[in-house]
Amino acid sequence: MNSGQRLARFAPGAVVGLLWGIFLLLLESLVGAATLLRAVLDATTRILPVGLFGWLLGRAESAAKPLAVVGTLAMFTLVAGVLTLVLRERARTWLLGALALVLWSGTVWVAYKYGEALTTALFVASSSTFFLVGGLWIVSAEAQPSSRTRRRLLRTFLGAGLVLGLATAGRFLTGLWARSRAPRAVDERGLSPAITPLADFYVVSKNVADPEVDLARWRLRVIGRVRRPLELELAALRARPAVRMVSTLECISNDVWGPYISTGEWIGLRLRDLLLEAEPVDPLVDVVLRAADEYSDSIPFSVALDPAVLLAYGLNGESLPREHGFPLRLVVPGIYGMKNVKWITEIELVDFDYLGYWQQRGWSDSAIVQIHSRIDTPRGGSVLTVGQEVLVGGIAFAGTRGIQRVEVSVDGGATWRPAELESPLSPYSWVRWWITWRPDQEGRARLVVRAWDGDGRLQEERERPPLPDGATGWHRITVDVRART
């Protein structure tokens, strides 16, 4: 078989594999069903070495999840194309039968493992297996000598399917990339608003498609080392005394200049009240929180008893949006967002140190936020005018430790000026800071910011990527100063 013949056999199978991957993508996003696509993506985060995973995440940033999906679709395409190459007429029945059995049973296991009902798991397994195996059967059969009309008809259908599939995948991936980006809201002075508008609040999750929780069936269970296990509806939680708290949330993958940090006013109930009502039984180490998307993480029991730790059902005066964890999420001031579990369905008290989804993949278990300061205005690359006053400002955050002071340099760190600090909205929110600066000479100017937390510790100057404990470093930007025209 020459290269042209091999390509002719490979291409139809590759198209079927790509369309199968897109079909799984649609099942994930439209139906909310767990598929092998999710299993492959989860397995990839486990298999990749921690250093390589951190490097890829740092390079891709908001494009990381779309690129991971593209990589998985490419793998499906390659595998299906190779299968078509090796399928021979006599062995086709046995090979495709074995593939169907393995694929069907594996898909049932994946779907059921991720919390689907058995009937849904069977539907997902049967439909996706039929789609792939049936497609491979047709293209491998048509690859054999047959009439020119049949081959032309097959190519037409595959070509139309490829165009439609790529358009569907492109639209989905564009939306996924847009959701992965965090828009940076600013006020009239160019500073981040004290409270981040809901539309601009950053969103991060491990999912291709976030769960859509059926409130009629949803219950919160409190189990484990307790004398009185609880099972509560959302209405019962909302009927309890409500607590409002302004708190800043930051993703552990956020760079020092990054947008994955927001401040909101949360409303909910204290976690400690629920735990004490369940009557905890010593010894206790962690409180484990499990979510509707099979995500899980934990916080120490001692932290869970802090009155500032909330089970939130509202954000900025509205019911908690789906992307932020409807109907219930955890809010723990001072630790990174990955431990602020969304879509909570179960709380378990345990007597061991529980490692959650991202801890199993090498990220920090304590996840205490680093000292963070950022220049919001002016933006890097801005053109300023000699002698014209400009506001230099941004935000600083150090979790529950607060911010003691912020300093700014306009000469690359040779000299420093103290910044004016706005009173924070709560002990758990970021601080906005600013100085006024009048450039007095042309050329490039290097602006740098650094902060001290409430314990008097200086923000670490050394630049370090987010994995595993959160990014460190001083934010530096360059602006261009020109003479008046």
Side-chain angles (χ1 to χ4, degrees), residues 119-448:
T119 52
T120 305
L122 291 173
F123 167 77
V124 171
S126 301
S127 60
S128 61
T129 301
F130 177 80
F131 191 102
L132 178 63
V133 176
L136 291 178
W137 179 280
I138 293 171
V139 299
S140 62
E142 288 298 329
Q144 309 303 318
S146 58
S147 72
R148 186 174 300 176
T149 302
R150 291 175 64 187
R151 289 198 298 270
R152 186 183 300 117
L153 186 62
L154 175 64
R155 287 196 294 268
T156 300
F157 275 111
L158 287 175
L162 181 61
V163 170
L164 182 61
L166 288 175
T168 302
R171 183 174 180 180
F172 177 86
L173 291 169
T174 300
L176 183 61
W177 180 71
R179 291 195 303 275
S180 299
R181 297 181 66 197
R184 187 177 293 182
V186 294
D187 63 14
E188 65 281 356
R189 296 186 295 169
L191 298 175
S192 296
I195 294 284
T196 308
L198 207 53
D200 299 309
F201 209 103
Y202 88 87
V203 177
V204 172
S205 77
K206 69 175 183 63
N207 305 311
V208 172
D210 291 332
E212 190 162 355
V213 176
D214 181 1
L215 196 57
R217 298 173 54 189
W218 181 87
R219 299 292 185 274
L220 175 66
R221 300 173 64 231
V222 181
I223 60 172
R225 297 188 61 81
V226 296
R227 291 190 178 88
R228 297 181 59 232
L230 304 176
E231 185 169 311
L232 300 163
E233 299 178 349
L234 182 61
L237 297 174
R238 285 178 173 269
R240 294 167 179 247
V243 177
R244 292 180 180 271
M245 178 182 70
V246 174
S247 184
T248 297
L249 196 63
E250 181 178 10
C251 181
I252 195 169
S253 65
N254 195 38
D255 287 305
V256 291
W257 60 86
Y260 298 102
I261 180 171
S262 303
T263 296
E265 183 183 40
W266 307 92
I267 181 170
L269 65 153
R270 292 187 175 92
L271 174 60
R272 64 167 290 162
D273 294 344
L274 214 57
L275 298 183
L276 294 178
E277 183 178 328
E279 298 181 9
V281 178
D282 288 329
L284 288 168
V285 176
D286 275 355
V287 175
V288 180
L289 300 108
R290 297 188 175 89
D293 63 345
E294 292 297 304
Y295 184 83
S296 66
D297 211 323
S298 67
I299 58 174
F301 179 68
S302 57
V303 172
L305 294 181
D306 189 321
V309 177
L310 297 186
L311 293 172
Y313 47 73
L315 174 59
N316 290 0
E318 298 184 23
S319 181
L320 201 62
R322 173 188 176 187
E323 62 270 22
H324 291 294
F326 177 85
L328 198 68
R329 71 166 299 161
L330 184 68
V331 179
V332 186
I335 63 174
Y336 284 114
M338 66 176 177
K339 285 190 164 287
N340 292 246
V341 179
K342 299 187 281 189
W343 308 292
I344 297 173
T345 58
E346 184 177 273
I347 299 172
E348 182 182 8
L349 279 66
V350 298
D351 59 358
F352 58 91
D353 182 20
Y354 179 88
L355 297 181
Y357 182 91
W358 288 116
Q359 286 76 53
Q360 295 173 27
R361 290 156 174 81
W363 292 84
S364 171
D365 189 24
S366 59
I368 298 171
V369 297
Q370 305 285 344
I371 308 173
H372 180 147
S373 60
R374 185 184 73 193
I375 301 170
D376 289 339
T377 186
R379 295 294 179 88
S382 296
V383 177
L384 309 179
T385 303
V386 172
Q388 183 173 310
E389 190 173 86
V390 61
L391 182 79
V392 180
I395 56 101
F397 179 58
T400 56
R401 306 185 303 280
I403 294 294
Q404 187 180 99
R405 78 180 192 269
V406 174
E407 290 184 344
V408 184
S409 174
V410 295
D411 53 15
T415 62
W416 295 90
R417 293 174 52 187
E420 184 175 348
L421 304 184
E422 182 180 69
S423 295
L425 296 180
S426 87
Y428 318 119
S429 70
W430 62 24
V431 171
R432 302 198 300 173
W433 60 264
W434 60 84
I435 65 167
T436 55
W437 173 48
R438 194 183 303 273
D440 57 7
Q441 60 182 10
E442 291 185 76
R444 292 191 170 183
R446 189 73 162 160
L447 277 56
V448 191

